[in-house]
Amino acid sequence: MARTILILMLTIFAAGCTNDKPRPKGFAGGAEAKALELRQGSYSIHHFVKGDTVYVECFVPKGNFGVPDKKLKDGELFVTVSIDGNKQKRFMTPAFSISGLKTGYHDILLNVHAYNRPDISHKPRSWTVKVD
């Protein structure tokens, strides 16, 4: 009886030491999974207004933003912001500020882009802020 239990325990132990772990159905792997998640456009934005400045934070899961003052690499993210439908400003970092806004309500439209990757797209986000 003890011999049977010992053989059974050794078999279970040996089976647990393998490197072949089951993968979830639909697992695409490293870069492909990252691109798939970015294609879904899941990101969040937080903002607050202080004086005539709007401070914005953009959270993109598994997204890499470019480095300011350097050339973008393929797939690196950047943000374009349009205020009241006027000219767009481009930001290379996920946190930035928009200053010099006049008193009143302003419509802000934010887009997240991936450099040279048209297959990665995000839904534009818009909101209204009130500057006192």
Side-chain angles (χ1 to χ4, degrees):
M1 179 74 167
R3 183 176 168 189
T4 306
I5 293 175
L6 180 62
I7 292 173
L8 184 60
M9 288 179 63
L10 287 175
T11 305
I12 292 172
F13 178 72
C17 292
T18 64
N19 287 331
D20 294 331
K21 305 280 189 269
R23 294 185 178 201
K25 191 173 186 177
F27 181 77
E32 292 83 10
K34 180 178 174 181
L36 178 63
E37 186 169 333
L38 289 175
R39 272 189 221 119
Q40 294 172 351
S42 60
Y43 66 99
S44 61
I45 298 171
H46 298 272
H47 73 278
F48 68 93
V49 180
K50 185 174 183 182
D52 67 344
T53 304
V54 178
Y55 297 91
V56 181
E57 290 180 315
C58 189
F59 298 98
V60 182
K62 298 186 181 180
N64 295 325
F65 279 82
V67 178
D69 300 327
K70 292 201 176 183
K71 186 177 179 187
L72 285 170
K73 297 176 185 172
D74 288 350
E76 285 187 328
L77 302 178
F78 64 95
V79 176
T80 57
V81 177
S82 174
I83 302 163
D84 296 329
N86 294 330
K87 66 179 181 178
Q88 290 187 347
K89 294 181 181 180
R90 184 174 177 176
F91 297 97
M92 304 290 288
T93 58
F96 54 90
S97 62
I98 305 165
S99 60
L101 296 175
K102 295 180 182 179
T103 303
Y105 290 93
H106 299 280
D107 295 320
I108 298 175
L109 176 67
L110 183 141
N111 282 309
V112 176
H113 305 278
Y115 185 72
N116 279 347
R117 292 292 304 267
D119 59 321
I120 300 175
S121 62
H122 295 83
K123 296 178 184 176
R125 302 282 173 93
S126 63
W127 69 93
T128 303
V129 295
K130 180 182 179 186
V131 176
D132 293 325

